[in-house]
Amino acid sequence: MSFNGNEGEFITLEEGAAMTARFRNSVPAGSTIGQFVGREKLMNILSQENCVGIRFYYALNETNEPAIVAVGAESNENDLTEGIIIDHFKRCPPFCSQKNKLNS
């Protein structure tokens, strides 16, 4: 099987809200519940030659806090490890949206 650049599925707000609520209910209060990365960083990954999408790896940073490592991926499902890799997303909290169904 190979990637075609159309992977993933659209979901409803209600489905997303149920999923994020399950996660929030499984972690201590004040834990990281989301992370933000800017469009320009994502576009830098996506604009690489042969890139059809982005793979997000769950990670722990040097202080054992939740992190995300993002890397481009080719249609053959391999990571573009010689290209752009992103970390240091903005954690929520403290960088959160106003309250909505996905975060409260």
Side-chain angles (χ1 to χ4, degrees):
M1 184 172 202
S2 62
F3 293 150
N4 63 24
N6 196 35
E7 289 72 20
E9 297 293 329
F10 295 110
I11 63 172
T12 65
L13 174 58
E14 289 72 27
E15 290 170 309
M19 294 170 66
T20 59
R22 282 193 295 274
F23 178 78
R24 287 192 314 278
N25 292 331
S26 74
V27 297
S31 296
T32 298
I33 61 166
Q35 299 198 28
F36 173 85
V37 64
R39 173 189 173 104
E40 291 303 315
K41 298 293 190 284
L42 295 174
M43 294 305 295
N44 280 310
I45 288 181
L46 290 170
S47 66
Q48 295 175 104
E49 186 175 344
N50 298 320
C51 183
V52 298
I54 300 175
R55 180 171 282 122
F56 297 94
Y57 285 101
Y58 304 124
L60 295 174
N61 67 16
E62 59 281 348
T63 59
N64 287 322
E65 296 173 301
I68 295 174
V69 174
V71 62
E74 301 174 306
S75 63
N76 63 7
E77 302 180 13
N78 289 324
D79 294 339
L80 294 167
T81 56
E82 299 298 318
I84 298 168
I85 300 174
I86 302 173
D87 180 26
H88 300 288
F89 289 35
K90 297 292 187 180
R91 285 185 187 80
C92 168
F95 301 99
C96 298
S97 170
Q98 59 187 312
K99 290 187 182 266
N100 64 59
K101 291 183 179 184
L102 296 173
N103 66 16
S104 44

